[in-house]
């Protein structure tokens, strides 16, 4: 998915040797990432959560994704939960840790904040490493092979196909606005112009969707999706899957031991 | 037998003055026909009427020897009359070139292996085999045009309906497209503004004027 707006990759089967994870069956990668998310969300022990994050970092190194850009994307997600993480120590009652401007932060609240941060980052990093390293088209056909509803897969495929076309349309309209001296500001004229821009994009998108449907009908479309890719699990896929599940069981084991201690 | 026979077609878009008023057209197998006309004269509308994406308000569409009235009737027409849209982005909606070309054959009920064979054959025929695994929205304008033609040829049509195929193509690509089209056996209805291209592909021509098709010469 990370490739949707990335012109660098031009074909599904890139000629450069794919990374270890990229060679594994896409279905397996989706399922493992899903399982990992479920397991990680259930963990609360710090050793287990640290292990989960370490596992996600390991997956990142095996995924062939550029680490810096991927970590920056992860930080982008952190931006969304930052406010909650900061407020949590102050809103959860418990033994006082420090006091800022008359507000007391609790030890329990801080622990919860750290847990959430670890969980969220481990899950998002694993998702990017396992699923994000997949071209959107492949993700769609893999989800189809995993029996996800056809409508949802079609929606995903159309979105990834036309997002670029829409963006180009938007950029063209913006350029033509700029060419006629438009400078965005905080005034009614700017708001109205942006309204027109959005409205025009909606109208064009609607018309385009009608033309696309026409073109599809011309080629015998009857509402059913047919995918060319077929998938088969190889022995290496099975080993990879077994190692993945084994590591997740280890995380659960760590959690249980510390939980009972 | 005429491949296409349009008699006395009237058509108007909802709430607008009529585009076509009494347009008639006949096409025989292997024939090549260019249609010209001003912007908004109804050239694309005519093509859409042929494949049943639009229905005439009056007149009859007969294709491949049978009158075509209902959506059901047009399924066969759409397979046998390959419509290449003006904007390739409207036509290429699959993630990869191979999938897009296979889309038609798969819809016709062919298996994956057969569809894959057709993809290979059509790509070879147009000399664009290296594009096979490429992602459609990363293709250049010229490549998109050739791929959209390949998508239509994969249905093995008897007639090609080309809507402004040289639109936004540079001279090299126009040249390449011309050579490819000259080598095809199909009958062609060509809608274009490009006089040079018209002479090379389909010298015989009609012009839409006041909603009617008249001899261009």
């Amino acid at each position: 998915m990370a490739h949707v707006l990335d012109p660098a990759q031009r074909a599904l089967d890139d000629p450069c040797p794919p990374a270890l994870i990229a060679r594994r069956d896409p279905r397996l990668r989706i399922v493992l990432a899903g399982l990992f998310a479920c397991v990680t969300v259930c963990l609360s022990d710090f050793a287990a959560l640290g292990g989960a994050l370490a596992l996600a970092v390991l997956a990142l190194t095996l995924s062939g994704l550029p680490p810096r850009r991927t970590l920056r994307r992860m930080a982008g997600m952190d931006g969304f939960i930052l406010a909650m993480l900061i407020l949590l120590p102050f809103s959860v009652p418990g033994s006082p840790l420090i006091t800022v401007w008359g507000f007391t932060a609790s030890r329990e609240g801080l622990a919860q904040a750290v847990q959430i941060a670890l969980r969220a980052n481990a899950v998002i990093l694993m998702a990017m490493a396992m699923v994000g390293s997949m071209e959107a088209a492949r993700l769609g056909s893999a989800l189809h092979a995993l029996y996800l509803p056809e409508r949802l897969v079609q929606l995903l495929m159309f979105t990834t196909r036309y997002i670029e076309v829409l963006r180009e349309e938007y950029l063209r309209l913006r350029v033509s606005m700029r060419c006629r001296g438009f400078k965005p500001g905080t005034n009614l004229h700017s708001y109205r112009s942006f309204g027109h821009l959005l409205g025009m994009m909606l109208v064009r998108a609607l018309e385009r969707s009608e033309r696309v449907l026409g073109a599809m009908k011309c080629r015998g479309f009857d509402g059913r999706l047919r995918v060319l890719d077929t998938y088969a699990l190889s022995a290496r896929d099975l080993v990879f899957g077994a190692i993945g599940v084994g590591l997740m069981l280890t995380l659960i084991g760590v959690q249980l031991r510390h939980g009972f201690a | 037998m005429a491949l296409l026979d349009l008699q006395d077609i009237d058509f108007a878009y909802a709430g607008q003055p009529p585009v076509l008023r009494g347009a008639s057209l006949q096409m025989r197998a292997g024939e090549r026909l260019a249609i010209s006309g001003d912007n908004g004269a109804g050239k694309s509308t005519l093509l859409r009427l042929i494949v049943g994406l639009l229905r005439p308000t009056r007149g009859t569409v007969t294709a491949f020897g049978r009158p075509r009235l209902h959506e059901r009737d047009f399924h066969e027409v759409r397979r046998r009359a390959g419509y290449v849209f003006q904007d390739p982005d409207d036509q290429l909606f699959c993630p990869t070139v191979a999938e897009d070309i296979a889309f038609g054959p798969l819809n016709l009920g062919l298996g994956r292996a057969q569809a894959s064979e057709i993809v290979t054959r059509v790509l070879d025929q147009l000399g664009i085999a290296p594009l096979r695994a490429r992602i459609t929205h990363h293709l250049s304008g010229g490549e998109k045009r050739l791929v959209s033609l390949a998508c239509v040829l994969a249905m093995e049509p008897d007639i090609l309906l080309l809507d402004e195929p040289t639109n936004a193509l540079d001279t090299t690509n126009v040249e390449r497209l011309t050579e490819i089209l000259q080598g095809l056996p199909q009958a062609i209805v060509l809608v274009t503004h490009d006089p040079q291209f018209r002479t090379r592909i389909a010298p015989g021509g009609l012009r839409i004027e006041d909603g009617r098709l008249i001899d261009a010469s």
Side-chain angles (χ1 to χ4, degrees), chain B residues 158-169:
Chain B
D158 298 319
I159 179 168
L160 289 173
L161 311 173
L162 309 175
D163 197 349
E164 304 271 8
T166 53
N167 234 4
L169 285 192

Side-chain angles (χ1 to χ4, degrees), chain A residues 57 60 66-76 78 125 128:
Chain A
V57 172
L60 175 65
R68 276 185 67 176
R69 223 172 57 193
T70 311
L71 289 174
R72 211 178 309 140
R73 282 207 172 114
M74 185 180 85
D78 284 334
L125 204 56
M128 284 195 287

Side-chain angles (χ1 to χ4, degrees), chain A residues 6 9-12 135 137 158 161-162 208 211-212 214-221 226-228 230, chain B residues 53 78 85 87 89-93 95-96 100 102-104 106-107 112 133-138 151 155:
Chain A
D6 185 355
Q9 195 200 15
R10 287 150 67 90
L12 271 193
E135 172 61 36
F158 279 113
R161 169 64 184 87
Y162 284 103
R208 182 181 292 281
R211 290 197 303 271
V212 171
M216 291 171 75
K217 275 187 184 169
C218 282
R219 291 197 278 153
F221 180 65
R226 292 172 178 84
V227 182
L228 260 192
T230 43
Chain B
L53 293 176
R78 287 174 194 156
F85 278 57
D87 183 352
D89 269 323
D90 291 339
Q91 201 158 3
L92 305 178
F93 70 95
T96 67
D100 225 310
F103 177 72
L106 288 175
N107 284 334
R112 283 175 180 169
R134 291 273 295 278
I135 294 161
T136 47
H137 66 259
H138 290 159
C151 291
M155 309 276 285

Side-chain angles (χ1 to χ4, degrees), chain A residues 15-69:
Chain A
C16 61
L20 188 116
I21 285 184
R23 271 177 307 197
R24 298 282 71 83
D25 189 310
R27 294 172 306 168
L28 178 74
R29 283 149 70 188
I30 295 171
V31 170
L32 281 179
L35 277 178
F36 179 81
C38 293
V39 169
T40 307
V41 166
C42 298
L43 301 178
S44 58
D45 176 65
F46 283 107
L49 280 170
L53 189 61
L55 209 56
V57 172
L58 176 73
L60 175 65
T61 57
L62 296 177
S63 70
L65 286 177
R68 276 185 67 176
R69 223 172 57 193

Side-chain angles (χ1 to χ4, degrees), chain B residues 48-65:
Chain B
R48 295 177 153 258
L49 284 163
I50 293 174
V51 292
L53 293 176
L54 298 172
R55 298 295 151 73
T57 42
R58 195 173 66 90
T60 54
V61 177
T62 310
F64 311 106

Side-chain angles (χ1 to χ4, degrees), chain A residues 102-115:
Chain A
F103 296 104
T104 313
S106 71
R107 202 175 290 276
E108 288 79 0
L110 182 68
Q112 277 191 26
V114 174
Q115 278 172 5

Side-chain angles (χ1 to χ4, degrees), chain B residues 35-182:
Chain B
I35 295 174
S36 55
D38 299 334
N39 295 118
K43 303 182 296 288
S44 301
T45 307
L46 192 72
L47 296 185
R48 295 177 153 258
L49 284 163
I50 293 174
V51 292
L53 293 176
L54 298 172
R55 298 295 151 73
T57 42
R58 195 173 66 90
T60 54
V61 177
T62 310
F64 311 106
R66 276 209 230 143
R68 311 285 174 170
L69 291 169
H70 308 288
E71 176 72 15
R72 229 183 18 255
D73 303 334
F74 282 103
H75 289 168
E76 190 202 351
V77 181
R78 287 174 194 156
R79 188 188 73 66
R80 296 180 63 183
Y83 185 178
V84 180
F85 278 57
Q86 198 173 111
D87 183 352
D89 269 323
D90 291 339
Q91 201 158 3
L92 305 178
F93 70 95
C94 292
T96 67
V97 170
E99 277 171 307
D100 225 310
I101 298 175
F103 177 72
L106 288 175
N107 284 334
L108 294 181
L110 296 182
R112 283 175 180 169
Q114 282 168 299
S116 208
E117 266 168 43
I118 293 178
V119 172
T120 314
R121 201 191 65 225
V122 173
L123 285 172
D124 284 341
Q125 186 187 357
L126 298 189
I128 48 173
L131 299 186
R132 188 183 178 107
R134 291 273 295 278
I135 294 161
T136 47
H137 66 259
H138 290 159
L139 296 174
S140 74
E143 290 168 338
K144 274 185 191 166
R145 175 61 68 192
L146 291 178
V147 172
S148 63
L149 180 62
C151 291
V152 165
L153 288 177
M155 309 276 285
E156 296 171 6
D158 298 319
I159 179 168
L160 289 173
L161 311 173
L162 309 175
D163 197 349
E164 304 271 8
T166 53
N167 234 4
L169 285 192
D170 57 26
T171 33
T172 331
N173 278 311
V174 170
E175 200 56 41
R176 196 164 166 201
L177 185 67
T178 310
E179 275 168 29
I180 288 171
L181 289 178
Q182 280 171 341

